[in-house]
């Protein structure tokens, strides 16, 4: 039995669709040449609209990116490359209000209930993504709007007293970055791997096989995070 190649299939589809198309034009348009011309033009415009929306891979990717962005905002994840973002989302990257681990205050003494350290490789429990801790707060520090969006009313009291960590994750693209602010209850230390995440060199000097070693400026803010628990 002869094999149908992709070009042959395409030609067959075009041939099979030619008669129905002509029939639709004649039924939809009328009897005069001018009416048939305008009907054909309308069909072509409709096809062009479909091709550039539902039948276009780029359009589908754009739509998927929009949905992913909405989903990530619900759990505190946002892409670093945000051009038209709301202020509350850009705060995840940096801010002067000490939200989302952005405080420049020295974290010392380090509370014993803060289990993770800056430089730790971690896995978050919901999506099992692997990231690196770059900051932490001993308790939740975020705008009320963000808190209301992420936590239910019953969860807020516990969340307010739970350590939260700013974590960097690799995004869907090779150069994209995801920034998250997650509670300690959703993170676990993940050893034995070195994740490839953009901008890590801004925070760390190297990976020692277990964790990332902080840059001097970061070590000054988290002086006790370099020490191992006994």
């Amino acid at each position: 039995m002869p094999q149908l190649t992709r070009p042959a299939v395409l030609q067959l589809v075009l041939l099979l669709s030619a008669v129905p198309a002509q029939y639709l034009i004649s039924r939809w348009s009328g009897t005069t040449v001018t009416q048939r011309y305008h009907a054909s033009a309308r069909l072509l415009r409709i096809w062009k609209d479909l091709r550039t929306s539902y039948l276009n891979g780029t359009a589908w990717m754009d739509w998927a990116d929009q949905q992913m962005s909405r989903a990530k905002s619900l759990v505190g994840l946002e892409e670093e490359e945000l051009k038209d973002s709301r202020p509350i989302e850009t705060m995840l990257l940096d801010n002067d209000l000490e939200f989302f681990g952005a405080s420049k205050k020295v974290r010392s003494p380090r509370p014993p209930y803060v289990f993770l350290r800056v430089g730790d490789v971690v896995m978050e429990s919901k999506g099992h993504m692997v990231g690196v801790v770059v900051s932490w707060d001993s308790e939740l520090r975020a705008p009320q709007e963000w808190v209301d969006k992420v936590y239910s009313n019953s969860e807020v009291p516990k969340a307010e007293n739970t350590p939260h960590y700013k974590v960097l994750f690799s995004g869907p693209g090779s150069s994209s970055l995801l920034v998250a602010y997650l509670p300690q209850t959703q993170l676990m230390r993940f050893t034995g791997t070195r994740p490839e995440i953009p901008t890590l060199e801004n925070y760390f000097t190297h990976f020692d096989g277990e964790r990332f070693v902080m840059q001097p400026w970061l070590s000054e803010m988290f002086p006790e995070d370099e020490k191992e628990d006994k």
Side-chain angles (χ1 to χ4, degrees), residues 155-205:
E155 293 173 329
V156 169
K158 181 178 179 180
E160 288 179 338
N161 297 309
T162 299
H164 277 64
Y165 300 82
K166 182 177 179 178
V167 185
L168 303 186
F169 297 96
S170 179
S174 59
S175 61
S176 60
L177 175 71
L178 299 179
V179 183
Y181 189 65
L182 299 171
Q184 185 165 264
T185 52
Q186 291 184 18
L187 296 170
M188 60 179 293
R189 190 176 284 108
F190 190 74
T191 58
T193 185
R194 182 189 188 281
E196 296 296 331
I197 302 173
T199 76
L200 283 183
E201 65 276 6
N202 297 336
Y203 300 89
F204 308 105
T205 58

Side-chain angles (χ1 to χ4, degrees), residues 105-114 117 136-138 221-225 227:
K105 295 179 180 178
V106 176
R107 311 300 204 279
S108 183
R110 182 174 180 272
Y113 54 85
V114 176
R117 300 170 181 271
W136 54 260
D137 294 316
S138 58
M221 291 175 53
F222 300 91
E224 298 178 35
D225 280 27
K227 304 174 183 177

